[in-house]
Amino acid sequence: IDPKAVTKDTLYGTLDPTTLEWTDGVFTSILRGILNNLRGEKERRHWVVFDGDVDPEWAENLNSVLDDNKLLTLPSGERLEIPANMKIFMEVDSLKYTTLATVSRCGMVWFSDTTVTLPMALKHLYLDLASRPVTGFDDEPETATSQAAAAAAGGGGG
């Protein structure tokens, strides 16, 4: 998601002042789709990537999502909890406009493109993710894939 390419209302959603009807935005729609688990989303890892400057105009709304509460509170009063299998990633060129409140809630990683190339980083990430089953979710049933992976790792798989 390029948060600077859309309005804050398009990103998070809008509450119609007349009817009080809520309309999801891009981020809210993605989050609700994962929470509704219509296509087995609970069994998959989800990464939402915000690619662009971390501007207080849109990022301040994520502060409660990024802290220990992991809740997105909508203007309608509804609260959406970020599930354990969803990670939020912000790819930025600069932290010039970022507030301390947002920075304090994020882990920071910086790589020089001459030290760690993009193909190197992607290969490492792919190999790491491919070697680990998705587990650790309280209500996730163990699948045949996770059982096979656990057995291969010497864990028996249940």
Side-chain angles (χ1 to χ4, degrees):
I1 302 171
D2 183 350
K4 299 290 279 181
V6 296
T7 66
K8 188 168 137 182
D9 287 346
T10 303
L11 187 61
Y12 293 110
T14 58
L15 182 65
D16 185 297
T18 306
T19 64
L20 299 180
E21 183 178 326
W22 176 257
T23 303
D24 281 341
V26 175
F27 175 67
T28 312
S29 178
I30 291 168
L31 175 57
R32 197 178 301 278
I34 294 168
L35 291 171
N36 289 339
N37 194 34
L38 296 177
R39 297 178 301 175
E41 285 86 352
K42 285 186 179 181
E43 296 180 22
R44 300 183 187 125
R45 293 180 187 94
H46 299 276
W47 292 75
V48 176
V49 179
F50 289 98
D51 186 7
D53 290 338
V54 181
D55 188 312
E57 172 67 23
W58 66 269
E60 290 297 308
N61 289 345
L62 287 180
N63 284 346
S64 65
V65 171
L66 299 172
D67 67 15
D68 292 339
N69 294 327
K70 296 188 180 189
L71 286 174
L72 177 65
T73 303
L74 304 175
S76 64
E78 183 180 10
R79 293 177 177 215
L80 300 176
E81 186 173 0
I82 304 300
N85 63 330
M86 181 177 165
K87 306 296 181 208
I88 297 175
F89 186 87
M90 296 180 197
E91 196 284 320
V92 300
D93 185 44
S94 164
L95 296 175
K96 183 176 181 179
Y97 302 108
T98 310
T99 65
L100 292 175
T102 302
V103 170
S104 68
R105 290 170 168 84
C106 297
M108 303 289 167
V109 179
W110 179 79
F111 294 109
S112 166
D113 57 1
T114 59
T115 304
V116 178
T117 65
L118 181 59
M120 288 169 59
L122 292 175
K123 181 179 179 182
H124 174 75
L125 178 63
Y126 172 76
L127 292 173
D128 183 52
L129 290 175
S131 69
R132 292 187 289 147
V134 178
T135 60
F137 307 114
D138 295 336
D139 57 347
E140 178 183 278
E142 194 165 21
T143 64
T145 304
S146 63
Q147 290 173 355

